[in-house]
Amino acid sequence: MGYNSPEYDLEYRYMDDAWYTVKVVVTEGGETLTVKYQGFLDYSDTTFRADQFVTAEDIDELINRFRPLSRQVQDDECDKITEGMTVCASYSFHEEDLRYFDAIVEAVHCEKHSFSSGEEECLCSFVLFWQHGPNSGNLTLANIASICLIQQAIQVDPRILCFLMVARERIGNELTKLTEIPKHDVLVSIGLSRGEVNSQYVKQKPGFQVMGTTSKCYGRISKAHSDHLHDEVMGRDSIHVNAFVETGIHHFLLIENLEKDLSASTIREFIYKQTSVSSQAYVFPSRSSESFARGAVVSECKMEIEKIYHLLNNSDQLVVSAKGRPWVITENALRSGMFKAMLGSLIHDSQDTCENKDIDKELKLVHWGTEAYRKAKQLMSLFMDFEQHVQRLHKSLALKEMRTLESSESTRLT
C-alpha cells in the first residue's frame, strides 16, 4: 500500500504551465510519486522516481509545482480581488478545453451588481496580466466567473514529504533542508484540512463543471488535449518553478531585452540607487542579428536578490532604457548555484567602472498610468510574443531532430 488518497485535492502546474486538479500517489517506501490528473485516463499519469533527481534544486522544482486547490470567487466576494494580487484564471482554447493559468490583477472596474434573476450577479470586470499560457505577457479583460483565488499553505503534504525524504537521501542531502521550502509554496491549506472546504461555495456557470466537494470549478478537457498531455509527459524536459530555491553559493536573476550598449556597472548602480542593495551585474554577448542583450543580477544573499526581484517584477512600474526599451523578466523564479562556474566566459564582468556616467540618463522607472508605462507595456508584450515564438521553434526543432535521428537509427538497424 502507498500513500493513496481517493480525493483530487491538489493543483499541479504541468509543462504547459496550466494548473490541473490532481491527486498524488506515493508508493510504500516513497520510491515513486505519481501525479494523476482529474478527467484524464491513467496513461496520462506523470510518475517521478526518487533516484532520478541530481540535485536538491531538481527536487524543489518538482515540489513547488504543487499547491492547494484554488477556489472560484463568488459573486458577493468580488471585493477580495485587488490590484496587484496573483489569481488563477481560466482560458478557453475551445468549447471543451478550458485551462487555468496564473495572472496578475492589473486593474479592477467595479460595477453595481444585478439581482434581476433573484440572485446576486457580479458585473465587475478585471484587467489581467497573464503570467503563463497563450496570453502570457498580455492584458485581457475577465469577469468574476473566470477567476479563482490561490490558497496559501503552511506545511508540506505528507505524501509528498515521504517522497521528498527518500529523494533527498538519494542525492545525499540532509532532511533538515526541508526548512528551506518557502511557506507560501507548500501544500496544506491554512486552517483547512481536506474535506473541510464547503461545497456551498461552488458556483456553477456555463462552461464550468463542478468536481467533487472542492470549491474550484474546472472546465472539461478534450481527449485531444489528454493525448497532448501524455505526449509531453513522455518527453518531459527541465522544469521552471514559481518559487525561490536555495541550493548554491549565489542567487541570481536573469533579465531580457536590455540595450546592447548597456554596461554591467550601469545596471549595478541603478539597482543600488533603487534598492540600496549592492549586487553584481553581468551582460551576456548577443548575436549581431539581435536587437537586444541579456544579463543577470547576482548576490550571495537570498534576501537581497528577492528585494531586487520585487523591484523588477512589480506590475506598478517598469524599468526602461532612455530609448524606452523595457527590461523583461521571463522566468518567475530565482536561480541558485555557482554562477560563474555555470556561465564561464560567456559573461562580461560586472566590475567595470561607471565613473562620469549619469545613470538617470540611461535607465529609469516608469509608473502605471503614464504614457511611458503604456508604451513600455506594449513593447514588453511584443517581446513576450517573440519569446514564445522562439520557444515554439526550439520545440519544433527538437522534435524534428528526434524524428530524424530515430529514422536514421531504424534505417541502420534494417
Side-chain angles (χ1 to χ4, degrees), residues 55-70:
T55 68
E57 182 178 6
D58 295 335
I59 298 173
D60 290 338
E61 286 178 345
L62 170 63
I63 297 304
N64 287 294
R65 280 189 168 260
F66 292 95
R67 71 185 182 196
L69 288 171
S70 300

Side-chain angles (χ1 to χ4, degrees), residues 337-349:
M338 298 184 66
F339 183 73
K340 286 191 175 182
M342 284 186 280
L343 299 178
S345 60
L346 286 178
I347 57 178
H348 295 167
D349 200 337

Side-chain angles (χ1 to χ4, degrees), residues 352-387:
D352 57 341
T353 179
C354 62
E355 291 181 3
N356 300 321
K357 284 189 176 182
D358 188 347
I359 303 299
D360 293 334
K361 290 184 178 179
E362 295 197 53
L363 295 170
K364 62 181 178 179
L365 286 176
V366 296
H367 297 276
W368 186 87
T370 64
E371 179 64 16
Y373 180 94
R374 186 188 66 79
K375 289 182 178 179
K377 204 73 170 181
Q378 288 180 339
L379 291 173
M380 179 182 286
S381 178
L382 289 174
F383 183 87
M384 295 300 295
D385 288 343
F386 165 78
E387 186 69 17

Side-chain angles (χ1 to χ4, degrees), residues 53 60 100 102 120 180 194 228 236 317 367 399 409:
F53 300 94
D60 290 338
Y100 285 80
D102 285 350
E120 183 174 359
E180 295 174 359
R194 292 188 188 88
H228 170 70
R236 185 169 55 250
Q317 61 189 25
H367 297 276
L399 179 61
E409 181 65 16

Side-chain angles (χ1 to χ4, degrees), residues 130-395:
W130 294 82
Q131 302 298 290
H132 304 291
N135 279 327
S136 179
N138 293 331
L139 293 170
T140 66
L141 200 63
N143 57 31
I144 198 168
S146 303
I147 297 176
C148 299
L149 295 177
I150 297 172
Q151 302 299 298
Q152 300 299 314
I154 56 172
Q155 67 182 68
V156 180
D157 183 281
R159 296 161 296 176
I160 298 175
L161 175 61
C162 175
F163 179 76
L164 172 64
M165 293 169 62
V166 176
R168 284 193 180 279
E169 289 175 1
R170 293 291 183 271
I171 60 174
N173 283 302
E174 298 293 335
L175 184 60
T176 53
K177 289 190 176 180
L178 282 171
T179 58
E180 295 174 359
I181 299 177
K183 70 176 184 179
H184 59 279
D185 285 316
V186 291
L187 309 174
V188 177
S189 297
I190 292 176
L192 295 175
S193 61
R194 292 188 188 88
E196 290 182 338
V197 180
N198 196 327
S199 60
Q200 68 177 324
Y201 290 109
V202 178
K203 174 176 63 177
Q204 300 184 51
K205 288 274 188 178
F208 285 79
Q209 183 176 13
V210 178
M211 300 297 187
T213 61
T214 61
S215 57
K216 177 174 180 177
C217 298
Y218 283 85
R220 297 164 289 170
I221 306 176
S222 66
K223 174 65 167 60
H225 182 55
S226 178
D227 294 338
H228 170 70
L229 183 68
H230 176 258
D231 292 342
E232 284 195 347
V233 169
M234 299 304 292
R236 185 169 55 250
D237 55 13
S238 61
I239 297 174
H240 295 298
V241 296
N242 194 20
F244 299 147
V245 292
E246 184 169 8
T247 59
I249 297 174
H250 295 101
H251 307 279
F252 56 97
L253 175 66
L254 301 179
I255 307 173
E256 306 266 1
N257 204 36
L258 304 176
E259 295 288 0
K260 296 183 74 171
D261 59 355
L262 183 66
S263 69
S265 61
T266 300
I267 297 175
R268 186 178 69 247
E269 294 299 323
F270 177 80
I271 288 175
Y272 180 80
K273 182 177 180 180
Q274 299 296 329
T275 64
S276 299
V277 171
S278 296
S279 61
Q280 294 174 289
Y282 300 88
V283 177
F284 308 146
S286 57
R287 299 185 182 93
S288 59
S289 59
E290 292 179 320
S291 61
F292 60 90
R294 299 174 177 87
V297 180
V298 185
S299 175
E300 294 182 359
C301 176
K302 179 180 175 182
M303 292 182 63
E304 288 183 349
I305 203 69
E306 287 181 8
K307 188 173 182 180
I308 296 171
Y309 174 84
H310 291 303
L311 166 72
L312 303 183
N313 197 38
N314 185 339
S315 61
D316 291 331
Q317 61 189 25
L318 297 171
V319 179
V320 300
S321 69
K323 299 176 183 176
R325 181 185 295 275
W327 288 9
V328 179
I329 309 297
T330 57
E331 294 184 3
N332 292 325
L334 295 179
R335 297 191 183 188
S336 299
M338 298 184 66
F339 183 73
K340 286 191 175 182
M342 284 186 280
L343 299 178
S345 60
L346 286 178
I347 57 178
H348 295 167
D349 200 337
S350 69
Q351 303 307 315
D352 57 341
T353 179
C354 62
E355 291 181 3
N356 300 321
K357 284 189 176 182
D358 188 347
I359 303 299
D360 293 334
K361 290 184 178 179
E362 295 197 53
L363 295 170
K364 62 181 178 179
L365 286 176
V366 296
H367 297 276
W368 186 87
T370 64
E371 179 64 16
Y373 180 94
R374 186 188 66 79
K375 289 182 178 179
K377 204 73 170 181
Q378 288 180 339
L379 291 173
M380 179 182 286
S381 178
L382 289 174
F383 183 87
M384 295 300 295
D385 288 343
F386 165 78
E387 186 69 17
Q388 291 170 24
H389 178 65
V390 170
Q391 291 177 8
R392 289 192 293 269
L393 290 177
H394 281 307
K395 291 181 180 180

Side-chain angles (χ1 to χ4, degrees), residues 394-407:
H394 281 307
K395 291 181 180 180
S396 176
L397 174 61
L399 179 61
K400 290 178 181 178
E401 287 177 335
M402 182 182 67
R403 289 175 176 172
T404 300
L405 292 172
E406 289 177 348
S407 176

